[in-house]
Amino acid sequence: MFQLAWRNLWRNSRRTIITLMAVALSTALLMMTDALMVGFIEHAVKNATNISVGEAQIHDPDYLTEHSMYDTVENADEVLATLDKDGIPAAPRSFGFGLLSNGAKSAGAQFWGIDPEREREAFDLPTHIIPGMGTFITENMRGKIVLGKKLAKTLQAEPGSELVIVVQAADGSLGNELFVVAGVLKTIGDAIDRGAAILHHEDFERLFVSGGRIHEIAVNSRGTLTLPELATLLKQMAPGQEIKTWRLLLPILSDFMNTIDVTMWIFMSIFLIAAGLGVMNTMIMATHERIHEFGVIKALGATNSRIFRDVAAEAVLLGFLSTMLGVLIGLVGCYFLQTRGIDTSAWAQDTSFGGVAFDPIWRGAIRAASIYVPVALMWLICFFASVYPAFLMVRLNPVEAIASHG
């Protein structure tokens, strides 16, 4: 059956090659588009969780709405000790608000009191310093501050600049100190870029008279636990505290990622319909040219199922050849996208979305589903595209077919 289908396909080689290339390119484009989308999602999740937000955070139930200095995480030291025992990296953070000034320039900021060693263990934030713009705070560094990129620009500050800081301390007094800029962060997210001023936790405690208050514990298992598993574990560790995963902390990014799947299916549907119409058009023309031949076959006693199988076999064979060619082209394209990526820096420098910064090099990521899903769908669409022309040949009147082409 397939030997006969092979011969019939090459009766009009030009038409077959055009259809074959159209389906192959559609398959390759679907593979590469899926790889780009997967790469985008993986990169977004990695940036969302690994730089500073973490996979989940623990807060007092009122902290995220009130941002009060007095809404602290209960038993923070015990929670951190339990996380350490389970081998789950976590970073405690304290927050306060105040004013920074550099000469005639001044700006409001959110001050972060951090444990440098824990930040380095749990997050990539310490590595996101602009090259040539200083260093991140170390364990032994005091009197130094790290600024968000836009905040440093507003203050016209650079490493070595002396900043005067004025804050309202927890005991009601006015905190006033001089800090030296240690480093400036790369683009991370709008909130950090515009307002983050990061201090050693001992400097923070002295400046805000915070008494060791912890407002946030950011947890990052780096993929060793799923979000539901991590949320359940944290609820057991910190009963009565608010546990939020990054999907709740960054709802815009989470919603955007959910829409990517829908967008991908719409995109895939368009390509499948286009490829299906191409195959159907080829099969209709191929069968129409052979009406006389089908009439003779039916007159000789060929069953309807035999005619249907012959027509369907041509479409399936065409789909198989084109998708295999498409897989070869697609794998080359996916490999390029994964290793080299697309450089978007010319029109998208320092891009952030939903509080997450994106690398200007957009890289793809190959997964098995990027290959077998387009191939399987193409085979199906090729088979269904053969149903209509096969149905026309099945309903053919052999006498009229032979007479019309006699």
Side-chain angles (χ1 to χ4, degrees):
M1 181 173 62
F2 284 105
Q3 186 176 13
L4 179 62
W6 172 266
R7 291 174 180 171
N8 287 332
L9 278 179
W10 298 107
R11 286 185 177 187
N12 189 326
S13 57
R14 179 181 297 177
R15 184 174 61 210
T16 298
I17 289 173
I18 291 173
T19 306
L20 188 146
M21 290 304 300
V23 176
L25 289 177
S26 296
T27 305
L29 283 173
L30 284 175
M31 288 174 57
M32 290 188 285
T33 303
D34 188 79
L36 279 175
M37 291 297 104
V38 172
F40 178 84
I41 291 172
E42 288 184 354
H43 178 71
V45 172
K46 181 181 176 183
N47 275 5
T49 58
N50 287 352
I51 292 181
S52 64
V53 175
E55 293 168 347
Q57 294 181 358
I58 305 172
H59 301 96
D60 177 271
D62 296 326
Y63 181 76
L64 290 179
T65 54
E66 302 293 337
H67 290 284
S68 168
M69 171 70 79
Y70 307 102
D71 294 330
T72 59
V73 178
E74 291 183 1
N75 303 318
D77 291 339
E78 294 178 16
V79 173
L80 287 168
T82 308
L83 287 168
D84 289 343
K85 187 179 178 182
D86 291 344
I88 302 174
R93 293 165 183 163
S94 306
F95 298 110
F97 296 90
L99 188 70
L100 301 95
S101 64
N102 179 32
K105 301 292 182 181
S106 62
Q110 182 183 40
F111 293 88
W112 295 32
I114 62 155
D115 181 328
E117 189 173 341
R118 283 187 174 274
E119 287 289 341
R120 281 189 168 78
E121 182 184 1
F123 296 103
D124 297 335
L125 182 64
T127 66
H128 274 62
I129 295 291
I130 298 174
M133 291 297 283
T135 62
F136 198 74
I137 294 171
T138 63
E139 182 60 29
N140 299 320
M141 193 179 286
R142 301 291 186 276
K144 298 293 181 67
I145 189 169
V146 171
L147 302 177
K149 184 177 182 179
K150 292 179 181 177
L151 178 60
K153 185 177 181 181
T154 300
L155 294 170
Q156 295 183 353
E158 58 185 15
S161 298
E162 293 183 340
L163 304 182
V164 176
I165 297 176
V166 180
V167 302
Q168 179 75 49
D171 63 354
S173 63
L174 196 64
N176 187 343
E177 284 199 31
L178 190 67
F179 277 78
V180 177
V181 176
V184 179
L185 294 168
K186 295 178 183 176
T187 297
I188 294 176
D190 202 50
I192 294 178
D193 296 346
R194 291 184 183 280
I198 301 174
L199 313 172
H200 193 287
H201 67 92
E202 291 183 5
D203 287 335
F204 183 91
E205 289 180 23
R206 186 180 66 257
L207 183 65
F208 283 88
V209 196
S210 67
R213 288 180 171 86
I214 301 298
H215 302 106
E216 173 181 295
I217 296 177
V219 183
N220 187 21
S221 74
R222 295 188 183 271
T224 58
L225 296 174
T226 64
L227 291 186
E229 289 173 342
L230 185 59
T232 301
L233 183 64
L234 295 180
K235 285 177 182 175
Q236 295 171 351
M237 290 182 184
Q241 301 299 289
E242 185 175 50
I243 311 298
K244 282 196 171 186
T245 64
W246 71 266
R247 284 190 173 274
L248 296 174
L249 294 163
L250 302 170
I252 296 176
L253 180 64
S254 180
D255 292 343
F256 177 70
M257 290 174 60
N258 290 335
T259 62
I260 286 181
D261 288 338
V262 178
T263 304
M264 187 62 203
W265 278 107
I266 293 173
F267 188 74
M268 187 176 290
S269 299
I270 293 172
F271 271 81
L272 289 173
I273 291 171
L277 290 175
V279 173
M280 182 183 289
N281 181 59
T282 298
M283 295 309 301
I284 288 175
M285 288 192 292
T287 53
H288 183 75
E289 292 171 351
R290 289 149 48 203
I291 284 181
H292 177 74
E293 183 179 321
F294 280 109
V296 171
I297 293 173
K298 289 197 72 172
L300 291 175
T303 63
N304 290 338
S305 61
R306 168 62 189 277
I307 292 175
F308 185 90
R309 286 199 305 270
D310 286 347
V311 176
E314 290 180 34
V316 171
L317 185 59
L318 180 63
F320 175 79
L321 294 173
S322 55
T323 51
M324 291 302 101
L325 179 61
V327 167
L328 290 176
I329 299 172
L331 284 176
V332 173
C334 289
Y335 178 77
F336 173 82
L337 292 173
Q338 183 167 289
T339 55
R340 302 290 296 274
I342 300 173
D343 188 353
T344 64
S345 57
W347 65 89
Q349 289 184 342
D350 297 336
T351 301
S352 66
F353 177 78
V356 177
F358 288 91
D359 192 327
I361 305 298
W362 184 2
R363 300 183 192 279
I366 304 175
R367 59 173 182 169
S370 301
I371 301 172
Y372 69 74
V373 170
V375 169
L377 290 175
M378 281 296 177
W379 285 356
L380 280 177
I381 205 70
C382 288
F383 171 75
F384 286 116
S386 70
V387 170
Y388 178 65
F391 182 71
L392 292 178
M393 294 305 103
V394 167
R395 289 176 56 85
L396 200 64
N397 185 310
V399 176
E400 293 178 356
I402 295 172
S404 63
H405 288 72

